[in-house]
């Protein structure tokens, strides 16, 4: 019975992995244009695959892509968690955030424009601020509980 259960877990994990891989595949030339300049948008790909009104980032992603198209750029989109791409030097601009920026600065031989699109605090700053807040609340509560009335 344990082998069957482990096989089901393995199959489910493999299926989830493959579905995520499929969902996060790059989108090439979203507007099917024939421009000379190319932009790589590193953000989220889901808004370009499925219409939704669930979050403002769907509108933001589409607006970024449309603005670059209006400026005469062929638009490719990748998921921000993508760590590397093989044809980085084909782009004139990288727009967005994520691991691809680090990859560009460490590996690209071509100088190009980079436009950072930060949608909030960097995760390191956010985590540090959250931990500090927890520490402050802990000390405040501890002092209140130990007061002599």
């Amino acid at each position: 019975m344990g082998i069957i259960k482990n096989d089901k877990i393995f199959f489910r994990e493999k299926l989830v992995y493959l579905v995520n891989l499929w969902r996060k595949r790059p989108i090439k030339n979203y507007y099917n244009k024939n421009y000379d300049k190319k932009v790589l948008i590193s953000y989220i790909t889901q808004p370009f695959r499925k219409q939704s009104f669930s979050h403002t980032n769907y509108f933001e992603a589409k607006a970024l892509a449309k603005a670059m198209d209006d400026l005469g750029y062929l638009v490719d989109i990748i998921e921000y968690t993508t760590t590397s791409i093989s044809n980085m030097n084909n782009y004139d601009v990288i727009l967005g955030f994520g691991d691809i920026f680090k990859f560009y600065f460490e590996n690209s031989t071509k100088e190009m424009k980079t436009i950072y699109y930060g949608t909030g605090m960097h995760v390191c700053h956010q985590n540090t601020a959250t931990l500090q807040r927890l520490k402050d609340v802990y000390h405040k509560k501890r002092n209140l509980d130990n007061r002599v009335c």
Side-chain angles (χ1 to χ4, degrees), residues 43-54:
Y43 189 47
I44 51 176
T45 56
Q46 192 64 17
F48 302 95
R49 301 185 199 287
K50 176 184 170 190
Q51 183 63 35
S52 175
F53 301 109
S54 63

Side-chain angles (χ1 to χ4, degrees), residues 12-24:
R12 186 177 187 286
E13 289 172 353
K14 189 71 166 175
L15 184 61
V16 167
Y17 170 78
L18 291 172
V19 167
N20 283 333
L21 196 63
W22 180 79
R23 280 185 184 160
K24 294 180 180 182

Side-chain angles (χ1 to χ4, degrees), residues 89-116:
N89 292 331
N90 292 343
Y91 295 100
D92 300 291
V93 176
I94 303 172
L95 186 156
F97 68 95
D99 293 332
I100 204 64
F101 279 90
K102 180 180 176 189
F103 180 81
Y104 162 70
F105 289 114
E106 292 175 352
N107 299 292
S108 182
T109 57
K110 177 184 174 188
E111 191 171 315
M112 65 185 83
K113 291 180 172 75
T114 55
I115 303 169
Y116 177 74

Side-chain angles (χ1 to χ4, degrees), residues 23-140:
R23 280 185 184 160
K24 294 180 180 182
R25 68 195 185 282
I27 298 170
K28 299 288 186 180
N29 197 1
Y30 181 70
Y31 293 102
N32 295 316
K33 299 287 179 80
N34 194 19
Y35 298 133
D36 292 330
K37 300 181 291 183
K38 288 179 75 174
V39 62
L40 176 65
I41 297 178
S42 174
Y43 189 47
I44 51 176
T45 56
Q46 192 64 17
F48 302 95
R49 301 185 199 287
K50 176 184 170 190
Q51 183 63 35
S52 175
F53 301 109
S54 63
H55 196 279
T56 59
N57 59 13
Y58 277 71
F59 300 104
E60 294 166 23
K62 292 275 191 99
L64 288 171
K66 182 66 176 130
M68 295 310 289
D69 177 61
D70 290 346
L71 290 171
Y73 286 88
L74 186 145
V75 177
D76 289 350
I77 305 133
I78 59 170
E79 194 71 23
Y80 70 95
T81 55
T82 302
T83 55
S84 67
I85 59 172
S86 59
N87 57 351
M88 176 67 76
N89 292 331
N90 292 343
Y91 295 100
D92 300 291
V93 176
I94 303 172
L95 186 156
F97 68 95
D99 293 332
I100 204 64
F101 279 90
K102 180 180 176 189
F103 180 81
Y104 162 70
F105 289 114
E106 292 175 352
N107 299 292
S108 182
T109 57
K110 177 184 174 188
E111 191 171 315
M112 65 185 83
K113 291 180 172 75
T114 55
I115 303 169
Y116 177 74
Y117 180 65
T119 59
M121 289 187 283
H122 189 274
V123 68
C124 293
H125 177 75
Q126 184 173 337
N127 289 345
T128 302
T130 300
L131 290 172
Q132 184 61 49
R133 179 67 180 135
L134 287 171
K135 181 180 170 187
D136 293 346
V137 169
Y138 171 78
H139 287 296
K140 181 179 178 182

